[in-house]
Amino acid sequence: MYRFLVTPRWLGINVFVLLAIPVCIFMGTWQLGRFEDRVASHEAAKAAPDPGERPAAALETLLPVDQETSGRHATASGRYGDQFLVPDRELDGESGSYVLTMLRTDGGKALPVVRGWLPSGGKVPAPPTGEVTVTGSLQASESTGSDGVRAGGGLPQGQLAMISAASLVNVVPYDVYDAWVTVSKAPDGLRAVPAGAPQNTGLDLKAFQNLGYTGEWFVFAGFVVFMWFRLVRREAEAIRDRQLGLETAA
């Protein structure tokens, strides 16, 4: 009765099933591995000492920013230049803006410095003049997926949607470090912006998306097996009905 399984039509179905099942299992296992990696990174970040408690170091020695150097106190010297507002940033449940000032370092490149958070309607304090030395928590450049970023267009001149070298090079005529710092002591009229956790170290939405995709791929594998058995059973029943003369003519 099951000789139909070796017909050309069913050979094609069988090959598809034999290929689909391991692909689904592989993709599910890969997504599960991604979730486990994020959990491990999260646990490692929790167990690691606070990077802000380590001694401050020169900016150049901490670049490029990674999970090890993110949050470290970096120092840089230079003169403040262009200043921008980064709107729609929340601090302690209130909406306001980051005050971002470019520090033109002695090496020629500029370091974005968040001098503090300004409540809505507040007056932006002018940056200090002359040579200054800045110490702040080192942060990686933001992207559209970073926490707090609302990458909407149409911002007025002097405002930025995100803090990144890629966006700053389009508005300033000098090179920019692919990093930024947030100072721990803000000037009068501003509130200090706390350093964020390194990227990809938390159990964020992406981690749970990986877990959801894991379940979906394993469900797909089970669905393929279920449908194959159902089609085989239906074909076998149709053959049996024909043999018994029970098939109804169309």
Side-chain angles (χ1 to χ4, degrees):
M1 182 179 296
Y2 293 97
R3 285 179 294 180
F4 63 87
L5 290 173
V6 295
T7 61
R9 171 173 170 267
W10 272 94
L11 284 176
I13 294 175
N14 295 337
V15 169
F16 171 79
V17 170
L18 290 174
L19 292 177
I21 292 174
V23 167
C24 290
I25 293 175
F26 170 79
M27 292 301 299
T29 303
W30 180 75
Q31 289 288 352
L32 180 61
R34 293 278 293 173
F35 173 74
E36 291 175 343
D37 289 342
R38 292 182 184 276
V39 172
S41 296
H42 175 66
E43 294 299 326
K46 287 172 57 179
D50 185 352
E53 296 178 354
R54 301 174 64 180
L59 173 68
E60 295 286 355
T61 64
L62 300 177
L63 297 177
V65 185
D66 55 22
Q67 293 184 3
E68 178 68 23
T69 61
S70 180
R72 286 284 306 273
H73 284 168
T75 60
S77 298
R79 294 175 179 269
Y80 279 124
D82 298 283
Q83 185 161 270
F84 304 92
L85 288 180
V86 186
D88 299 325
R89 296 302 176 103
E90 291 189 357
L91 185 63
D92 298 332
E94 298 180 49
S95 180
S97 302
Y98 289 172
V99 177
L100 177 70
T101 312
M102 306 302 294
L103 181 71
R104 302 289 301 275
T105 65
D106 300 334
K109 297 180 73 173
L111 174 67
V113 178
V114 172
R115 297 195 300 122
W117 177 87
L118 181 73
S120 297
K123 183 178 180 180
V124 183
T129 59
E131 187 81 9
V132 296
T133 297
V134 174
T135 299
S137 298
L138 188 64
Q139 302 282 272
S141 287
E142 295 181 332
S143 65
T144 54
S146 299
D147 291 340
V149 172
R150 295 176 177 83
L155 290 176
Q157 187 174 2
Q159 294 189 12
L160 300 171
M162 70 181 75
I163 309 171
S164 73
S167 60
L168 283 164
V169 294
N170 296 319
V171 294
V172 295
Y174 39 79
D175 292 334
V176 179
Y177 283 105
D178 189 18
W180 58 282
V181 299
T182 174
V183 298
S184 55
K185 294 183 179 180
D188 292 340
L190 301 179
R191 287 157 59 182
V193 175
Q199 296 183 9
N200 299 322
T201 58
L203 294 180
D204 54 11
L205 179 60
K206 291 182 179 179
F208 292 102
Q209 282 179 339
N210 292 136
L211 189 60
Y213 293 149
T214 298
E216 287 181 2
W217 282 112
F218 288 145
V219 168
F220 289 157
F223 181 73
V224 169
V225 174
F226 168 76
M227 288 302 299
W228 184 84
F229 275 108
R230 184 174 180 181
L231 290 174
V232 169
R233 180 179 177 182
R234 188 172 67 178
E235 186 78 9
E237 289 176 347
I239 292 174
R240 182 188 60 190
D241 289 346
R242 285 195 297 270
Q243 291 175 344
L244 296 175
L246 299 177
E247 188 176 59
T248 304

